[in-house]
Amino acid sequence: MMHRHLNSALVGLKCTACGAHFSSDELINVCLNCGKVLFATYDLERVTSTLRKEDLPLRERTLWRYRELLPVATKEVSLGEGMTPTFRAERLGTKLGCSHLFIKEEGLNPTGTFKSRGLSVAVSRAKELGAQILAMPSAGNAGVALAAYGAKAGLETWVFMPNSAPEMNKLQCQAHGAHLVLVEGLIDAAGREAQKEGQKRGWFDVSTLKEPYRVEGKKTMGFEIAEQFSWRLPDVIIYPTGGGTGLIGMWKAFDELGRLGWIGNGRPRMVAVQSTGCAPIVKAFEEGASHAEPWPDADTIAPGLNVPAPFADYLILGVISDSGGMAVAVTDEEILSSIRDLARDEGIFACPEGAATVAGLRRLLAAGIISGSESILLLNTGSGFIYPGILKGIGTAGDSMTEE
Ligand SMILES: *Cc1c(COP(=O)(O)O)cnc(C)c1O
Ligand SMILES: [Zn+2]
């Protein structure tokens, strides 16, 4: 095959906290000044020299259609991620009293969750910059995506997972040939273990937002939303928030599209949904704080939401506040009944994290914070196939679950 240049307009990296600039030509994790999150920056003039938004429909139906705004210069490691459909949720919408309700179905990504996006881009870039061994802590789904894209790239991978991670995640990681290390405790404990081992052995750490490019993969959800909504963004986006990478990424995407002049000034209110069993962002939001305190004894049936101390807390809270959005927590019971609603009303077999957005919407409608006439987009971040055990909790027709 001919060598194809990807036309990336990447120019460098900029710290989200202290503003320091760094080269994007070498492997790097966080800001060397202050230890905070680095963002990729692009030459937007150059983007428009090879890409007009009118040309997008002719491009490949993966996230690589936005290659000018992605950090990979030579060759992508791709399994067909991105360009997931956005459905109109008419039946569920009618039930909830929403006339314009939509669901973006991320469960159709290659590894069954939107973690494919971040790892496709991060593994591509790490490989291109010469990394040989990649490691990360994961609640489950990110580890699977690292294992799969690592396999495709021919790189060695190490995944540190809580013992309590879903069985399917563990099996899948091993099937892809990753080294799986099970750790007592939650993702923060797994993170400490991964860092300790990695520093000794010189692995490249691909923990989310502790390297600059997973968020670049996840930001493509924002590009797709803009494209799928004909460049007029919905009024509200509801996102199940763990580490917050998707929320932060979509907001970055809207900023880039705004500066390209492809969308107007209007922005969606960004809503972070968490579980009442692990809601550090909700607590910080309610207290008007710009940082989140670690959540003690975190526990929820939604593994992706079980992140007691998100590294990029200040960025998540910044997006919520800049967008006029909010944060809301829902119970595991509400999540379970929302899995059932999505399955029965929309034919979508959602993961608990995705179902949490329905529960969050219900609460915000009841509180009058979202109106039924607004256009509302829910992100179903993954497939329910990953968590077969949860099915036992959702019951069957005519059972004793409470109806509203
Ligand atoms: C990781 C994950 C989340 C949370 O995503 P963040 O970007 O870390 O906030 C939500 N849903 C699923 C299915 C996940 O795997
Ligand atoms: Zn800095």
Side-chain angles (χ1 to χ4, degrees):
M1 222 167 92
M2 234 176 68
H3 179 75
R4 179 163 64 90
H5 202 270
L6 286 167
N7 295 327
S8 170
L10 178 70
V11 287
L13 298 169
K14 186 176 178 207
C15 177
T16 55
C18 76
H21 290 266
F22 298 94
S23 161
S24 52
D25 297 338
E26 279 158 45
L27 285 171
I28 186 169
N29 287 105
V30 291
C31 175
L32 301 176
N33 256 356
C34 75
K36 296 291 187 185
V37 179
L38 293 174
F39 266 3
T41 58
Y42 296 87
D43 177 350
L44 296 177
E45 293 274 301
R46 215 165 91 213
V47 169
T48 48
S49 70
T50 51
L51 178 62
R52 297 176 311 155
K53 70 179 185 202
E54 295 75 24
D55 302 333
L56 282 167
L58 301 171
R59 287 200 167 178
E60 64 208 288
R61 294 196 57 79
T62 72
L63 61 78
W64 295 98
R65 72 207 269 109
Y66 310 106
R67 57 190 179 241
E68 282 82 354
L69 291 159
L70 290 171
V72 179
T74 52
K75 194 173 184 306
E76 71 273 36
V77 179
S78 175
L79 296 166
E81 52 292 325
M83 278 312 272
T84 56
T86 295
F87 300 118
R88 186 156 195 156
E90 277 192 61
R91 279 163 46 81
L92 182 61
T94 303
K95 203 158 132 186
L96 296 173
C98 298
S99 47
H100 300 88
L101 182 62
F102 301 87
I103 301 174
K104 190 162 175 61
E105 174 50 317
E106 290 292 300
L108 293 172
N109 276 299
T111 61
T113 72
F114 72 150
K115 292 293 195 302
S116 297
R117 294 179 184 269
L119 272 307
S120 173
V121 173
V123 170
S124 300
R125 184 64 179 157
K127 179 172 177 163
E128 153 171 298
L129 294 177
Q132 314 245 317
I133 304 177
L134 306 179
M136 67 150 70
S138 165
N141 293 326
V144 170
L146 175 63
Y149 287 93
K152 177 79 177 170
L155 296 178
E156 185 178 331
T157 56
W158 286 76
V159 178
F160 292 73
M161 250 184 224
N163 238 328
S164 58
E167 202 52 31
M168 188 67 85
N169 286 155
K170 297 178 192 165
L171 294 172
Q172 225 177 328
C173 265
Q174 288 171 315
H176 288 301
H179 300 276
L180 178 63
V181 183
L182 296 176
V183 178
E184 272 315 314
L186 294 180
I187 186 157
D188 48 336
R192 283 190 293 273
E193 195 62 27
Q195 201 173 19
K196 202 175 78 200
E197 283 299 306
Q199 265 166 5
K200 271 192 290 195
R201 310 208 207 180
W203 302 335
F204 185 62
D205 181 356
V206 282
S207 300
T208 197
L209 296 161
K210 291 186 182 170
E211 63 78 51
Y213 302 119
R214 276 174 69 180
V215 69
E216 292 300 294
K218 277 195 176 171
K219 90 180 172 187
T220 57
M221 288 191 296
F223 295 156
E224 290 172 22
I225 291 166
E227 200 182 335
Q228 289 169 336
F229 280 82
S230 304
W231 311 100
R232 280 184 305 272
L233 300 175
D235 298 319
V236 180
I237 294 181
I238 307 186
Y239 177 81
T241 304
T245 321
L247 192 87
I248 295 163
M250 284 188 281
W251 195 246
K252 184 173 191 284
F254 298 151
D255 180 59
E256 289 168 356
L257 294 178
R259 286 191 289 125
L260 282 168
W262 291 7
I263 57 172
N265 292 329
R267 294 286 178 275
R269 276 135 66 210
M270 305 296 280
V271 176
V273 177
Q274 299 201 296
S275 158
T276 50
C278 181
I281 295 298
V282 177
K283 181 163 181 283
F285 170 76
E286 284 171 353
E287 291 169 355
S290 52
H291 285 275
E293 294 297 323
W295 190 268
D297 305 319
D299 184 28
T300 160
I301 54 164
L305 305 185
N306 219 359
V307 182
F311 179 63
D313 55 349
Y314 66 105
L315 291 178
I316 303 172
L317 290 160
V319 170
I320 294 171
S321 128
D322 291 351
S323 72
M326 63 164 320
V328 60
V330 300
T331 64
D332 281 357
E333 289 70 40
E334 291 173 87
I335 290 177
L336 288 174
S337 69
S338 299
I339 292 179
R340 193 183 59 163
D341 291 336
L342 281 169
R344 293 184 184 188
D345 294 333
E346 296 302 328
I348 290 176
F349 189 38
C351 60
E353 296 88 344
T357 62
V358 175
L361 172 59
R362 205 177 248 127
R363 282 196 178 216
L364 297 176
L365 287 166
I369 292 168
I370 294 179
S371 128
S373 61
E374 294 186 282
S375 64
I376 303 159
L377 175 66
L378 311 179
L379 274 288
N380 177 38
T381 44
S383 165
F385 293 144
I386 302 156
Y387 317 102
I390 278 178
L391 278 179
K392 297 194 184 83
I394 70 169
T396 52
D399 68 8
S400 58
M401 296 283 298
T402 26
E403 303 282 347
E404 67 264 42

